Amino acid sequence: MLGFVLTTLVTAISLIVVDFFVPGVAIATFPVAIFAAISIGFINSSIKPLIQLFSLPITLLSLGSFSLIINGFCFWFATLFVPGFTVHGLFSFLIAPIVLSMVSSLLTQFIANKGLDKKLAAFANKLSLGAEEEVVYQPASEQTILVEAVEVQ
């Protein structure tokens, strides 16, 4: 849960930076940025893989350049669900997802280098005041997925 909150906050802050540097992207308020970050995360995890699968031949023919169009489409698609978040123009459509990715990566690296993720996890443990489960933050790059092996006879 803490990982989701940190990722959402980093993406929201990155969206504010995108709003500042990329003309054609407008975010009304910080709460709108948070909802936009949640929307982008949902679209990138659910709809984007399907689009990538169906557009694989075009992506291969364009030597991967079509993935920029897919990223722009997913970024624009998030604006349909969040009032106060708009993208206007082809330049913004193509450049904003690139800037968002770069800023988000830099902020995530900064948080990891400063140990802020571990400090927030310790603070969350202090707030729980005797809860049975301890809050542990584990970055997505270090998380493991457990798969149960099934033997077929």
Side-chain angles (χ1 to χ4, degrees):
M1 181 68 178
L2 183 61
F4 171 76
V5 172
L6 280 176
T7 302
T8 302
L9 286 175
V10 165
T11 305
I13 293 168
S14 301
L15 281 168
I16 297 295
V17 172
V18 168
D19 177 32
F20 186 74
F21 285 110
V22 179
V25 176
I27 298 174
T29 61
F30 189 71
V32 169
I34 290 175
F35 288 119
I38 293 169
S39 177
I40 289 171
F42 176 74
I43 289 169
N44 284 344
S45 66
S46 62
I47 298 170
K48 187 177 178 182
L50 293 173
I51 295 171
Q52 288 175 328
L53 179 67
F54 290 125
S55 66
L56 187 60
I58 297 170
T59 304
L60 291 174
L61 286 174
S62 68
L63 302 176
S65 298
F66 192 71
S67 63
L68 293 174
I69 303 296
I70 294 170
N71 286 338
F73 175 76
C74 291
F75 190 78
W76 168 81
F77 194 61
T79 66
L80 298 178
F81 301 107
V82 181
F85 175 40
T86 58
V87 177
H88 298 287
L90 183 63
F91 177 77
S92 303
F93 180 84
L94 295 174
I95 299 300
I98 296 170
V99 174
L100 176 68
S101 176
M102 290 185 335
V103 173
S104 181
S105 296
L106 289 173
L107 284 175
T108 302
Q109 189 65 34
F110 176 78
I111 287 172
N113 284 345
K114 294 290 183 182
L116 296 177
D117 49 354
K118 294 177 181 132
K119 290 177 184 175
L120 282 173
F123 180 70
N125 285 329
K126 287 180 184 177
L127 288 180
S128 64
L129 299 175
E132 296 175 12
E133 188 175 323
E134 183 177 318
V135 176
V136 177
Y137 172 72
Q138 188 173 18
S141 60
E142 296 177 6
Q143 292 178 1
T144 57
I145 299 173
L146 300 176
V147 179
E148 184 176 321
V150 178
E151 187 175 312
V152 179
Q153 296 180 355

